[in-house]
């Protein structure tokens, strides 16, 4: 038991481990003709984000303040204060209040982009945790309900991983050709070690779930095969082995929520399906626990729908920067720094979506 506690301490939530590579390589985003461009609003998956990057935005932006007031009322505490106080604590990087803060920032930035930049998306998407903001933005869940959903799912996950898969983590590898990754995974198979691919992000860019005791050996093998290791996450995510977590979330949490048909189509992050009904949205919210995310499939669906530009609303160092994205779309980063710059309000702006 003591050894297990030590393992958990070493794999604190969203802990960045030995980063042997630079950020994912990107190319210059292409531009599109404003007369013919079609836009998607994309909400990024959640990674560690600093209070210093978003604190002033949360405190002063009217959209953020409006949403924070709602989040405070639903949660029963000051989300801003709790996030500020816990910002430097790695144990709190995926806590319920940090997740709610991230959700609030993303949606407030989308509100700002509509009102100030006049953005009018044709559809929306949200890989991984970003799907929470997407279902809210699309109108399938009111913001109040999504805040409650986020808090209850955080509790559900914590309870599950306290009992099951206690030594599991999810590790990110880049610049690793698929055949090399499969070679490393085959070696784990030969040893009888469990593993799941939890995410397909870009060519050579994967999320792999495995046991923390074999992580160092796996990282070393990836390096020997010419790949690079980025970071390791706990709790682990999107692994087919977590079917029991999906059932727990469905029975204890999702069963108490009414999901509506989206007013804006949503691209599912597991298979790229275009969702227009409540049943599909509910399935996507549950699939996140035991299905890997597939960003290339999402990109392909957006291309098929004629999307030429994507607005990435929220703190993002991943989905808006990888080659699969910038090679196919004009990418507009909607972040707190941009929102804090003085800007003339556009005449074409209309009231933001509630």
């Amino acid at each position: 038991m003591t050894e297990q506690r030590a393992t958990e301490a070493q794999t604190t939530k969203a802990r960045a481990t030995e980063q042997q590579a630079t950020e994912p390589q990107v190319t210059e985003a292409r531009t599109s003709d404003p007369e013919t461009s079609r836009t998607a609003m994309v909400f990024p998956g959640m990674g560690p984000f600093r209070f210093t990057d978003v604190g002033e935005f949360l405190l002063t932006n009217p959209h953020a303040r409006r949403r924070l007031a709602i989040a405070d009322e639903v949660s029963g505490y000051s989300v801003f204060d709790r996030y500020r106080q816990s910002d430097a604590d790695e144990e709190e990087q995926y806590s319920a209040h940090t997740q709610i803060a991230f959700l609030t920032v993303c949606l407030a930035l989308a509100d700002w982009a509509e009102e100030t930049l006049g953005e009018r998306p044709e559809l929306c998407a949200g890989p991984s945790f970003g799907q929470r903001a997407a279902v809210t933005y699309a109108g399938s869940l009111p913001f109040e309900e999504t805040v409650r959903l986020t808090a209850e799912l955080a509790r559900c996950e914590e309870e599950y991983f306290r009992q099951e898969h206690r030594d599991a983590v999810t590790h990110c590898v880049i610049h690793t050709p698929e055949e090399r990754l499969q070679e490393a995974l085959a070696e784990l198979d030969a040893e009888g070690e469990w593993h799941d691919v939890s995410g397909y992000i870009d060519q050579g860019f994967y999320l792999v779930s495995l046991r923390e005791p074999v992580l160092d050996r796996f990282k070393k093998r990836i390096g020997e095969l010419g790949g690079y290791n980025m970071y390791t996450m706990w709790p682990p995510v999107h692994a087919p082995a977590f079917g029991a977590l999906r059932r727990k979330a469905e029975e204890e949490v999702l069963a108490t929520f009414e999901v509506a048909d989206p007013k804006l189509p949503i691209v599912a992050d597991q298979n790229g399906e275009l969702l227009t009904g409540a049943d599909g949205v509910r399935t996507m919210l549950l699939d996140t626990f035991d299905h890997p995310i597939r960003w290339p499939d999402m990109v392909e669906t957006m291309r098929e729908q004629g999307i030429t530009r994507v607005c990435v609303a929220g703190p993002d160092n991943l989905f808006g920067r990888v080659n699969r994205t910038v090679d196919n779309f004009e990418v507009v980063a909607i972040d707190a720094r941009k929102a804090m710059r003085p800007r003339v309000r556009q005449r074409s702006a209309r009231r933001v979506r509630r």
Side-chain angles (χ1 to χ4, degrees), residues 34-304:
E35 296 298 323
T36 60
S37 65
R38 290 168 58 87
T39 300
M41 188 70 72
V42 173
F43 297 96
M46 183 179 176
F49 71 114
R50 299 178 301 175
F51 176 81
T52 52
D53 291 335
V54 300
E56 184 179 0
F57 172 76
L58 283 169
L59 189 63
T60 62
N61 182 272
H63 300 294
R65 292 175 63 183
R66 176 175 65 85
R67 289 198 180 270
L68 266 180
I70 296 171
D72 289 353
E73 183 176 357
V74 173
S75 61
Y77 55 78
S78 169
V79 173
F80 179 89
D81 288 346
R82 194 164 292 191
Y83 171 47
R84 177 179 57 184
Q85 293 163 6
S86 65
D87 179 47
D89 188 349
E90 286 186 346
E91 294 278 353
E92 299 291 329
Q93 286 182 347
Y94 266 84
S95 63
H97 59 266
T98 307
Q99 292 183 32
I100 293 169
F102 188 87
L103 174 74
T104 301
V105 168
C106 292
L107 287 167
L109 285 168
D111 294 341
W112 174 84
E114 279 199 14
E115 181 181 67
T116 306
L117 304 183
E119 298 294 351
R120 298 295 178 265
E122 306 284 340
L123 53 82
C124 63
S128 192
F129 185 82
Q131 64 176 221
R132 309 266 180 90
V135 300
T136 306
Y137 186 78
S140 285
L141 278 176
F143 179 60
E144 296 89 335
E145 289 291 271
T146 309
V147 170
R148 184 168 70 89
L149 175 72
T150 297
E152 293 189 16
L153 286 178
R155 183 266 312 163
C156 181
E157 278 192 300
E158 184 176 350
E159 289 180 357
Y160 177 81
F161 287 114
R162 196 181 301 149
Q163 301 295 328
E164 307 290 339
H165 298 282
R166 296 181 64 183
D167 60 356
V169 294
T170 299
H171 183 63
C172 178
V173 300
I174 64 173
H175 306 318
T176 307
E178 184 174 4
E179 60 272 18
R180 296 288 179 261
L181 175 66
Q182 292 303 324
E183 184 176 341
L185 296 180
E187 292 171 5
L188 292 179
D189 284 333
E191 299 168 5
E193 283 290 345
W194 163 77
H195 61 81
D196 277 332
V197 177
S198 290
Y200 300 84
I201 310 301
D202 204 349
Q203 186 173 358
F205 196 157
Y206 304 95
L207 303 179
V208 179
S209 293
L210 70 171
R211 294 193 319 116
E212 194 273 341
V214 301
L215 176 62
D216 286 343
R217 183 151 41 92
F218 178 75
K219 288 165 57 179
K220 180 180 178 182
R221 190 67 181 123
I222 288 295
E224 291 171 348
L225 293 170
Y228 294 91
N229 299 282
M230 285 190 68
Y231 54 83
T232 302
M233 295 178 287
W234 192 92
V237 291
H238 316 310
F242 302 155
L245 173 58
R246 177 202 178 103
R247 292 188 292 273
K248 178 179 173 68
E250 183 173 18
E251 294 169 4
E252 298 181 9
V253 181
L254 262 295
T256 67
F257 288 81
E258 287 191 19
V259 178
D261 293 341
K263 298 175 183 177
L264 199 66
I266 303 172
V267 181
D269 59 335
Q270 296 89 22
N271 56 16
E273 181 181 355
L274 195 67
L275 306 177
T276 58
D279 289 344
V281 174
R282 179 179 288 274
T283 297
M284 179 188 71
L285 289 169
L286 290 169
D287 280 350
T288 194
F289 296 106
D290 62 351
H291 285 63
I293 60 173
R294 297 179 181 271
W295 179 245
D297 290 1
M298 300 176 73
V299 168
E300 185 59 29
T301 295
M302 288 188 281
R303 281 173 46 87
E304 290 173 354

